[in-house]
Amino acid sequence: DAKTTQPTSMDCAEGRAANLPCNHSTISGNEYVYWYRQIHSQGPQYIIHGLKNNETNEMASLIITEDRKSSTLILPHATLRDTAVYYCIAFSWGKLQFGAGTQVVVTP
Amino acid sequence: SAVISQKPSRDICQRGTSLTIQCQVDSQVTMMFWYRQQPGQSLTLIATANQGSEATYESGFVIDKFPISRPNLTFSTLTVSNMSPEDSSIYLCSVQGGTDTQYFGPGTRLTVL
């Protein structure tokens, strides 16, 4: 599975959109981009995933560049409950490889 | 998405003892996984548990230390054997759903004294 690179941390103001970048320059054609988040020692929560096209669900939007070397997770209206570690994972089948993720802190 | 429960949610154990963690899913799944998350670290895969076959362990993890059972399509156990303080971690199970998405249980927080 391809390695992903994320910023260590970022802050976001409550009510504003949070844009979380992820680089995956070695991603292969059959690997999806998955996003999970982990809120303080709870089990990771699935957010969204995509292959080529942009995706949106009730939690977030995923924007994948045309060359698939990077992506952005967008939380449209961040709330305090969105404070968590966000993981971007390039995944095709079987085992998920978690990196260090991005610690997102939403402030009032 | 699958609903996953784990027992116990937390435990404090003495060095040299063993603890068995249970993972129960509300639907039948083929693939189940066990992860460890050491304090302040990210998740590391311990093993993949498929029903009807032996678990497949990742590098650095061995069956004698982390025996796994998978008696049916909705249940699995992970035993942490002969524990030491270095085994203090959160242990998580996950299942792979129909769309290849993995869903995680709430975790078991283990402290070894």
Side-chain angles (χ1 to χ4, degrees), chain B residues 67-81:
Chain B
I68 288 171
S69 77
R70 182 79 199 275
N72 58 52
L73 292 174
T74 63
F75 187 78
S76 178
T77 67
L78 169 76
T79 299
V80 186
S81 303

Side-chain angles (χ1 to χ4, degrees), chain B:
Chain B
S1 64
V3 176
I4 304 163
S5 61
Q6 288 186 231
K7 290 182 180 179
S9 58
R10 60 178 61 227
D11 207 341
I12 301 172
C13 301
Q14 295 297 318
R15 179 196 299 262
T17 63
S18 298
L19 176 72
T20 295
I21 301 167
Q22 300 178 5
C23 179
Q24 179 77 51
V25 193
D26 68 340
S27 58
Q28 294 184 339
V29 294
T30 302
M31 299 184 73
M32 296 181 76
F33 305 86
W34 286 98
Y35 290 80
R36 180 178 73 181
Q37 186 171 30
Q38 295 177 298
Q41 303 297 312
S42 187
L43 283 76
T44 301
L45 180 65
I46 297 172
T48 302
N50 293 329
Q51 196 268 338
S53 63
E54 288 197 6
T56 303
Y57 289 83
E58 297 299 304
S59 176
F61 297 96
V62 295
I63 188 171
D64 290 346
K65 176 67 176 177
F66 297 101
I68 288 171
S69 77
R70 182 79 199 275
N72 58 52
L73 292 174
T74 63
F75 187 78
S76 178
T77 67
L78 169 76
T79 299
V80 186
S81 303
N82 188 25
M83 289 183 288
S84 67
E86 291 71 34
D87 293 319
S88 297
S89 297
I90 298 173
Y91 292 87
L92 300 123
C93 70
S94 73
V95 304
Q96 186 150 312
T99 59
D100 292 341
T101 299
Q102 284 193 27
Y103 299 96
F104 286 79
T108 295
R109 182 183 293 272
L110 171 62
T111 302
V112 183
L113 302 177

